[in-house]
Amino acid sequence: MSVLILGATSPIARAVCHEYAADGHSVYLAARDVEEAERIAADVAIRFDVDAVGGPFDALDFDNHGEFVANVETAVGPITVALIAFGDMGDQHASEEDFASAKRVIDVNYTGAASVCEAIADAMLERGAGSIIGISSVAGERGRKSNYFYGSAKGAFTLYLQGLRNRLFEQGIHVMTVKLGFVDTRMTFGMETAIPVATPQQAAQAIVHAQERGENELYYPRFWKGIMGVIKAIPEGLFKRLSL
Ligand SMILES: NC(=O)c1ccc[n+]([C@@H]2O[C@H](COP(=O)([O-])OP(=O)(O)OC[C@H]3O[C@@H](n4cnc5c(N)ncnc54)[C@H](OP(=O)(O)O)[C@@H]3O)[C@@H](O)[C@H]2O)c1
């Protein structure tokens, strides 16, 4: 089995990679920083005694996503599991000031994610097998003034994955949406919250377990499903007055 990890410098992505490598699976670690991807791959190869390859990937390089997937399969064989872990929260204030900043957030989190998922799905369709894990966010469940460019892009990715799952189900391909709450990474660094924050390792174990069970959707930490149920139930007239 060969596992493709996109956004390999993310601590969550690395922890997921460790879970699969510990089970003896080959891994391809792709990141914008190719030297870092190769360094992580060398570490995984030694640590778990598996084939591990590092290579370049940019979510914004839409024109080359098909070629990228072909190169991955040349290097490690048919992709059996693909993890879409990259993401960029951006800066909400900068995005309000300059739409170019908003567009980058939308393009990384949605357009780039959908583009590479299509390329992966095409490869998996040839074999009628495979599993795609897309990391989305609870931020995509309701628009908030503090992060609505990121939230709307993740919300679009969530809907995209839902449709892709619906389309690929009959062809034997599994698509899982991961709706993460707070996980301790550089994305949440310095954030103050009373809500418990999960470790990347905890998130990774839950993700791999859910993928192996063929689940469609995973909230992690799981209590976020309840929190979002409450947040989504707040009437818009009240919600727009809240500072969330
Ligand atoms: N941490 C949380 O609480 C939380 C909550 C909800 C959802 N998420 C999602 O979880 C995933 C992992 O994030 P994280 O928390 O581990 O944060 P992170 O450490 O900031 O990881 C983000 C990853 O995305 C990559 N990336 C950004 N722009 C890219 C691009 N244009 N092309 C390719 N890769 C790109 C980064 O690569 P570089 O190293 O090159 O920058 C990095 O590997 C993301 O999808 C994030 O939206 C996280």
Side-chain angles (χ1 to χ4, degrees):
M1 190 165 119
S2 295
V3 180
L4 168 61
I5 307 280
L6 295 169
T9 56
S10 145
I12 301 167
R14 287 185 66 171
V16 169
C17 173
H18 285 188
E19 292 293 318
Y20 284 114
D23 281 343
H25 304 307
S26 306
V27 290
Y28 189 103
L29 292 136
R32 286 191 292 191
D33 182 342
V34 66
E35 284 179 16
E36 183 64 4
E38 286 171 352
R39 200 189 62 72
I40 297 169
D43 174 77
V44 169
I46 293 168
R47 204 187 281 254
F48 299 102
D49 193 21
V50 294
D51 288 336
V53 179
F57 172 76
D58 192 326
L60 300 177
D61 192 10
F62 313 119
D63 291 345
N64 288 314
H65 286 170
E67 189 183 333
F68 163 77
V69 169
N71 290 341
V72 170
E73 298 211 324
T74 302
V76 293
I79 300 164
T80 26
V81 176
L83 174 77
I84 319 303
F86 60 83
D88 186 347
M89 196 146 65
D91 179 326
Q92 174 68 25
H93 293 297
S95 294
E96 290 168 16
E97 297 289 317
D98 176 8
F99 190 73
S101 168
K103 185 174 182 301
R104 192 178 50 77
V105 170
I106 294 165
D107 280 347
V108 172
N109 293 291
Y110 179 55
T111 323
S115 166
V116 76
C117 279
E118 288 297 300
I120 294 165
D122 285 348
M124 289 181 171
L125 277 169
E126 286 176 18
R127 305 180 284 274
S131 184
I132 298 172
I133 309 168
I135 300 194
S136 191
S137 170
V138 295
E141 303 241 292
R142 187 150 193 185
R144 293 183 294 128
K145 67 178 173 187
S146 58
N147 75 348
Y148 63 83
F149 289 110
Y150 173 72
S152 62
K154 284 297 196 186
F157 187 43
T158 295
L159 280 186
Y160 166 81
L161 289 168
Q162 208 168 29
L164 187 69
R165 173 162 51 247
N166 203 208
R167 172 186 155 216
L168 299 182
F169 166 68
E170 287 186 355
Q171 331 288 327
I173 297 162
H174 168 236
V175 177
M176 183 172 86
T177 312
V178 180
K179 295 178 179 176
L180 288 182
F182 297 142
V183 182
D184 184 15
T185 69
R186 77 182 128 142
M187 199 174 266
T188 49
F189 181 74
M191 188 187 70
E192 288 180 16
T193 172
I195 300 172
V197 177
T199 66
Q201 291 72 24
Q202 289 168 329
Q205 283 166 8
I207 290 168
V208 173
H209 189 59
Q211 183 273 321
E212 288 171 348
R213 286 159 45 116
E215 289 185 17
N216 298 314
E217 186 181 82
L218 170 71
Y219 281 87
Y220 197 81
R222 290 184 188 269
F223 59 74
W224 274 95
K225 187 170 185 177
I227 293 177
M228 292 318 297
V230 171
I231 287 180
K232 284 190 287 186
I234 299 172
E236 197 65 12
L238 171 60
F239 196 76
K240 71 183 180 188
R241 292 180 168 80
L242 301 177
S243 260
L244 290 171

